[in-house]
């Protein structure tokens, strides 16, 4: 995250366009780092390598792998799972174990080939993990800034809702 | 004064669940002077605490694990089940179309599905009452269904990008559209027990909770009214068992903060939704002489089609479902039909649906998501027939409270598949006409209905046409589980109508008079 990006995010988050509960949630997420608690060290490294291919990101900026680990450790779920699938944590472990030895050090193309293999062998776990990583990615204030998403700055209102009817704060937010 | 968490005694009525089924009757019974209380597994979520952020709002959803089986496993949680004082209305989109008279007579019309054991004319006065009380915003003339006796209270909400695109595309192929009826305010309204509900600020986050009080969730409407009339609402209280004496229900046992507690009442109304209601009945072995508890689980055909356009749409702005068409209410070759709705969408919901729906990953995924501001959606809501084999049962797996997790089997039948295909083709054509690119479809099933169906015959239904269980004196059910057929409209308004109707029947019983009809 560049200094400019950070200051743009903070200045909108700290403005009167963002309500207090929204600000609290997003400020916390901006810098959150989770210690590994659920996965073993080797599993965690592998998950990180997999996550980088599935949802390309800079792990120094976005702690997607830690977010997944933290969610599993806390035991919070999303309300359902496929009846023929293992509980999320176990299913993810199985998915990781199905990747070839040394997956972490393969080059990108070889990693992608391996990923296609586990995608068809473990479709449910693959889908769940992809969705979970995507959620953590899209919910992050930095991603939102880079995509020019300003929907959280909804106070006091959006007076106009038609196509191309943008407020100054929407126009200003995001990379030039 | 009694401490805030002391429990009421000598209750006339105990209601389990405070959503679209539980809340209206709670208010009606309290207003009639009865001593009433409600238990809800979830906690209170006052508007001022609601964040404009989907992840922060996860607490609105029922996240205890359910197992999804069948050819078309249903995704629960964020997709369809609330937990909180106000139930799923805390995160509903507030679409409030009425059922049409023929929705209630599917078997008569097609020879399959079920008829409802009541007439449209019995629902109509309740629709009139509800739309006024909730403050529904809608068009002066609604183009479908029988002529209305009472106009919508407020003018329609403004149309956002997706709504205008759908309007244009439908016009080109000669389909009629209309601003939708939404239970969200286009003008401020006073609400007894709550105060002033403000005008919708177009923040588009209805499915993550309304921070304004504009949306008619139950907490800012019926539950506020109920409490103003003396109803007690105990939150964070999950019922784990119904208690019985001499074949009559006597109350409910519930867990609150790790403690097991009990409340007694003359009458118990189960309104825990179409998954938890049959789960409780099956765990307790109650009300199931028909063998119908858990059967006929239905979820509307709810396929969505998405695309991206040149225009900067900002799909987070405006009421998400601003435009509707019911021109497909009947389609030759289909049993029943469907309605079309435009869709705004919140970013995380869109992103995760795209990932699950397309299984795209890597740079392609990120590239697509970076176009979020240009996304427009359209979806349908269509009839799902009741099938015996679509059912809820108890699994051997236990949850954190030591209770069996529910397993829900769901497979679309031939009619649902045909409807899905018909709707997808139509929506793709519409989005072609507006020049959308990257168009993709997400087949899905929406809402949870029908696991304790209502009917006149005790051999084939669980509750009678007023909501009394056929088997257990004193036990009533009022939630989406009693729907005999799915209706080709969103369920909440009809659910609230059933709730008021059940309350009137119960008051009629208590007065020893015939129920209002
Ligand atoms: C994202 C989303 C959008 C929707 N949009 C619309 C829409 O636009 N229009 C529409 O008509 N419908 C919509 N719906 C559906 C609508 O919300 C439901 O049809 C309606 O709320 C169902 O009412 P109910 O009473 O059956 O259950 P709910 O409203 O879900 O209420 C059940 C309540 O019971 C509680 N409960 C469950 N088990 C227990 C227990 N054991 N002990 C104590 N309490 C318990 C729950 O916490 C919950 O509060 C939407 C639903 C979702 C998820
Ligand atoms: S769009 Fe309107 S009703 Fe929906 S959450 Fe926003 S203010 Fe509330």
């Amino acid at each position: 995250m560049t200094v400019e990006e950070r200051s743009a995010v903070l200045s909108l988050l700290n403005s009167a366009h963002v309500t207090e509960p929204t600000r609290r949630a997003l400020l916390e997420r901006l810098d959150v780092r989770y210690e590994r608690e659920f996965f073993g060290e080797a599993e965690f490294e592998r998950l990180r390598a997999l996550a980088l291919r599935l949802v390309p990101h800079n792990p120094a900026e976005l702690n997607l792998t830690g977010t997944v680990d933290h969610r599993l450790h806390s035991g919070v779920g999303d309300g359902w799972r496929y009846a023929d699938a293992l509980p999320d944590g176990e299913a993810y472990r199985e998915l990781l174990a199905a990747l070839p030895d040394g997956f972490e050090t393969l080059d990108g193309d070889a990693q992608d080939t391996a990923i296609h293999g586990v995608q068809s062998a473990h479709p449910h776990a693959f889908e769940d993990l992809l969705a979970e990583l995507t959620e953590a990615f899209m919910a992050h204030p930095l991603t939102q800034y880079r995509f020019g998403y300003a929907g959280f700055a909804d106070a006091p209102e959006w007076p106009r809702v038609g196509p191309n009817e943008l407020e100054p704060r929407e126009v200003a937010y995001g990379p030039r | 004064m009694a401490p805030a968490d002391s429990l009421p005694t000598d209750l006339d009525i105990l209601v389990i669940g405070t959503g679209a089924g539980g809340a209206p009757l709670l208010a009606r019974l309290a207003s009639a002077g009865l001593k009433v209380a409600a238990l809800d597994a979830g906690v209170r979520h006052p508007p001022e605490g609601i964040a404009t952020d989907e992840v922060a709002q996860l607490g609105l959803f029922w996240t205890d694990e359910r197992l999804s089986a069948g050819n078309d496993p249903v995704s629960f949680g964020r997709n369809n089940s609330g937990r909180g004082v106000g139930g799923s209305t805390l995160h509903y989109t507030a679409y409030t179309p009425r059922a049409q008279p023929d929705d209630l007579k599917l078997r008569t019309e097609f020879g399959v599905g079920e008829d409802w054991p009541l007439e449209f004319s019995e629902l109509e006065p309740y629709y009139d009452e509800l739309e006024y009380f909730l403050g529904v915003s809608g068009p002066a003339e609604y183009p479908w269904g029988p002529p209305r006796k009472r106009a919508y209270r407020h003018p329609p909400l403004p149309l956002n990008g997706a709504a205008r695109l759908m309007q244009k595309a439908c016009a080109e192929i000669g389909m009629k559209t209309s601003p939708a009826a939404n239970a969200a305010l286009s003008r401020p309204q006073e609400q007894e027990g709550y105060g002033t509900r403000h005008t919708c600020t177009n923040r588009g986050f209805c499915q993550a909770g309304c921070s304004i009080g504009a949306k008619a969730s139950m907490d800012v409407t019926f539950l506020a009214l109920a409490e103003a009339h003396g109803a007690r609402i105990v939150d964070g209280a999950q019922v784990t068992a119904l208690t019985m004496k001499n074949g009559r229900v006597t109350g409910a046992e519930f867990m609150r903060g790790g403690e097991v507690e009990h409340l007694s009442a003359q009458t118990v109304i189960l309104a825990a939704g179409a998954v938890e209601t049959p789960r409780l009945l099956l765990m307790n072995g109650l009300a199931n002489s028909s063998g119908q508890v858990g059967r006929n689980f239905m979820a509307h055909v709810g396929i969505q089609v998405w695309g991206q356009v040149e225009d900067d749409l900002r799909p987070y702005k405006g009421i998400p479902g601003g435009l509707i068409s019911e021109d497909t209410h009947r389609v030759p070759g289909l049993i029943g039909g469907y309605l079309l709705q435009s869709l705004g969408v919140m970013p995380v919901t869109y992103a995760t649906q795209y990932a699950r729906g397309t299984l795209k990953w890597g740079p392609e995924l990120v590239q697509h998501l970076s176009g979020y501001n240009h996304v427009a959606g359209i979806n349908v809501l269509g009839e799902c027939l009741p099938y015996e084999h679509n059912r809820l049962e108890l699994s051997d797996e236990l949850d954190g409270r030591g209770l069996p997790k529910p397993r829900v089997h769901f497979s679309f039948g031939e009619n649902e598949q045909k409807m899905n295909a018909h709707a997808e083709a139509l929506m793709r054509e519409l989005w072609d006409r507006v020049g959308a690119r990257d168009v993709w479809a997400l087949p899905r099933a929406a809402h949870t209905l029908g696991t304790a169906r209502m009917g006149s015959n005790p051999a084939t239904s669980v509750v009678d046409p007023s909501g009394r269980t056929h088997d257990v004196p004193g036990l009533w059910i009022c939630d989406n589980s009693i729907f005999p057929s799915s209706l080709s409209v969103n369920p909440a308004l009809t659910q609230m109508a059933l709730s008021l109707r059940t309350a009137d029947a119960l008051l009629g019983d208590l007065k020893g008079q015939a129920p209002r009809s």
Side-chain angles (χ1 to χ4, degrees):
Chain A
M1 184 173 352
T2 64
V3 175
E4 290 74 33
E5 285 176 324
R6 195 179 174 79
S7 95
V9 171
L10 288 177
S11 97
L12 186 54
L13 281 183
N14 287 320
S15 76
H17 289 304
V18 178
T19 64
E20 189 49 41
T22 311
R23 180 180 303 120
R24 212 179 310 126
L26 291 173
L27 282 178
E28 187 190 318
R29 201 172 305 144
L30 181 62
D31 293 316
V32 78
R33 311 297 303 180
Y34 294 107
E35 293 296 314
R36 173 180 62 80
E37 289 180 284
F38 181 83
F39 289 108
E41 205 174 323
E43 280 174 337
F44 194 71
E45 285 315 309
R46 186 167 271 208
L47 177 62
R48 190 203 306 271
L50 176 58
L52 281 173
R53 297 308 293 177
L54 292 182
V55 185
H57 65 282
N58 177 353
E61 294 173 342
L62 269 61
N63 188 216
L64 303 191
T65 320
T67 305
V68 174
D69 182 287
H70 176 73
R71 203 272 299 171
L72 292 168
H73 180 72
S74 70
V76 176
D78 64 354
W80 69 285
R81 73 169 210 265
Y82 292 109
D84 56 2
L86 293 168
D88 289 348
E90 290 169 53
Y92 288 177
R93 285 200 159 112
E94 213 178 64
L95 181 78
L96 294 171
L99 289 165
D101 285 345
F103 173 80
E104 305 80 65
T105 55
L106 296 177
D107 69 40
D109 286 346
Q111 284 184 329
D112 287 356
T113 306
I115 292 172
H116 283 295
V118 296
Q119 176 173 1
S120 48
H122 299 271
H124 289 334
F126 179 87
E127 179 191 325
D128 286 343
L129 179 62
L130 177 63
E132 187 163 1
L133 291 167
T134 302
E135 168 166 333
F137 175 74
M138 199 69 174
H140 198 279
L142 185 59
T143 308
Q144 298 185 343
Y145 171 77
R146 288 178 179 160
F147 290 177
Y149 164 79
F152 56 86
D154 58 358
E157 62 170 342
W158 297 117
R160 300 171 303 165
V161 300
N164 309 312
E165 293 180 344
L166 303 190
E167 302 311 307
R169 63 185 186 275
E170 294 175 287
V171 177
Y173 203 59
R176 297 279 94 197
Chain B
M1 201 183 106
D5 70 341
S6 80
L7 291 174
T9 51
D10 306 320
L11 286 173
D12 296 311
I13 314 279
L14 175 63
V15 181
I16 301 169
T18 57
L25 59 78
L26 189 73
R28 187 76 125 217
L29 298 172
S31 306
L34 295 182
K35 192 160 180 200
V36 299
L39 298 168
D40 203 288
V43 297
R44 291 175 191 263
H45 298 274
E48 59 276 13
I50 301 265
T52 307
D53 180 83
E54 296 154 87
V55 172
Q57 291 302 118
L58 188 63
L60 295 182
F61 297 93
W62 191 275
T63 50
D64 292 1
E65 194 164 76
R66 295 163 175 171
L67 305 177
S68 299
N71 300 335
D72 302 286
V74 177
S75 52
F76 291 100
R78 225 175 259 177
N79 188 38
N80 51 29
S81 309
R83 180 195 198 97
V85 173
S88 299
T89 68
L90 290 168
H91 57 72
Y92 78 155
T93 325
Y95 249 123
T96 44
R98 296 176 168 197
Q100 295 196 32
D102 58 3
D103 279 318
L104 307 174
K105 298 286 175 231
L106 207 64
R107 179 173 279 278
T108 302
E109 187 177 350
F110 296 100
V112 291
E114 286 298 326
D115 287 352
W116 284 45
L118 50 88
E119 300 297 322
F120 180 82
S121 58
E122 294 172 66
L123 292 178
E124 197 179 17
Y126 293 112
Y127 284 149
D128 285 338
E129 177 183 345
L130 281 163
E131 288 162 351
Y132 186 81
F133 174 80
L134 300 172
V136 174
S137 301
E141 299 286 339
Y142 191 76
W144 303 277
R148 307 167 51 82
K149 300 210 166 74
R150 189 175 196 176
Y152 285 118
R153 184 164 177 182
H154 304 296
L157 290 161
L159 299 181
N160 65 8
R164 295 189 202 187
L165 290 173
M166 174 176 145
Q167 193 177 39
K168 173 170 177 287
C170 285
E172 284 183 20
I173 64 167
M175 267 184 90
K176 206 172 358 165
T177 58
S178 167
N182 279 293
L185 299 176
S186 59
R187 296 191 290 222
Q189 173 174 315
E190 288 308 310
Q191 203 73 47
E192 185 180 351
Y194 178 77
T196 307
R197 286 173 52 214
H198 298 290
T199 305
C200 171
T201 61
N202 302 319
R203 56 185 281 282
F205 264 63
C206 310
Q207 292 190 8
C210 185
S211 57
I212 309 297
K215 186 175 82 168
S217 48
M218 295 297 95
D219 54 337
V220 300
T221 55
F222 279 114
L223 296 174
L225 179 66
E227 288 188 301
H229 287 268
R232 262 297 297 280
I233 298 172
V234 183
D235 70 342
Q238 183 162 345
V239 171
T240 52
L242 300 173
T243 52
M244 301 281 296
K245 193 170 176 190
N246 302 329
R248 196 185 161 87
V249 68
T250 56
E253 218 166 71
F254 58 96
M255 291 183 79
R256 187 165 58 142
E259 301 286 315
V260 177
E261 298 174 84
H262 184 263
L263 267 181
S264 307
Q266 298 296 321
T267 298
V268 174
I269 305 176
L270 197 44
V275 175
E276 297 307 315
T277 283
R279 182 180 180 217
L280 268 173
L281 293 176
L282 290 173
M283 287 192 310
N284 288 269
L286 287 176
N288 198 17
S289 66
S290 64
Q292 288 297 316
V293 173
R295 295 275 167 186
N296 306 302
F297 177 87
M298 296 172 285
H300 286 117
V301 172
I303 183 170
Q304 306 177 336
V305 167
W306 297 97
Q308 298 193 0
V309 295
E310 278 312 309
D311 285 328
D312 199 338
L313 296 182
R314 306 282 163 157
Y316 52 81
K317 292 204 290 190
I319 191 91
L323 197 79
I324 191 167
S325 176
E326 295 197 41
D327 270 7
T328 44
H329 180 69
R330 287 293 177 260
V331 175
L334 291 180
I335 299 159
Y338 60 88
L339 54 77
L340 272 179
Q341 301 166 324
S342 59
L343 287 180
V345 67
M346 304 178 291
V348 171
T349 300
Y350 181 73
T352 53
Q353 287 190 349
Y354 181 77
R356 284 189 187 275
T358 66
L359 296 174
K360 295 244 164 69
W361 49 274
E364 213 184 350
L365 171 66
V366 172
Q367 175 62 33
H368 181 88
L369 297 183
S370 71
Y372 164 79
N373 279 336
H374 298 266
V375 162
I378 186 166
N379 84 330
V380 304
L381 187 131
E383 190 80 41
C384 170
L385 294 174
Y387 302 102
E388 280 258 316
H389 59 263
N390 282 338
R391 68 186 196 282
L392 176 146
E393 62 183 358
L394 302 178
S395 76
D396 301 332
E397 251 184 72
L398 302 183
D399 70 8
R401 293 180 180 80
L403 305 173
K405 293 182 185 174
R407 184 190 295 117
V408 179
H409 299 260
F410 187 71
S411 304
F412 276 155
E414 198 192 325
N415 193 56
E416 290 74 37
Q417 282 162 355
K418 277 204 295 200
M419 189 177 291
N420 200 68
H422 189 277
E424 179 174 347
L426 172 59
M427 292 189 289
R428 281 186 182 274
E429 183 186 349
L430 293 172
W431 262 201
D432 269 357
R433 286 187 177 265
V434 298
R437 57 189 148 75
D438 286 348
V439 175
W440 65 284
L442 180 71
R444 59 193 272 288
H447 309 131
T448 60
L449 310 160
T451 49
R453 57 152 68 151
M454 139 172 81
S456 306
N457 183 351
T460 55
S461 59
V462 179
V463 299
D464 77 6
S466 299
R468 304 172 192 87
T469 57
H470 292 300
D471 295 355
V472 184
L475 180 62
W476 299 56
I477 302 177
C478 187
D479 57 31
N480 277 180
S481 65
I482 68 175
F483 278 42
S485 75
S486 70
L487 312 176
S488 56
V489 289
N490 315 60
L493 186 72
T494 301
Q495 181 60 60
M496 294 178 213
L498 290 173
S499 180
L500 293 178
R501 186 170 170 275
T502 287
D504 287 343
L506 209 156
L507 291 170
D509 281 8
L510 292 176
K511 286 196 200 112
Q513 294 164 356
R516 162 178 164 180
S517 60

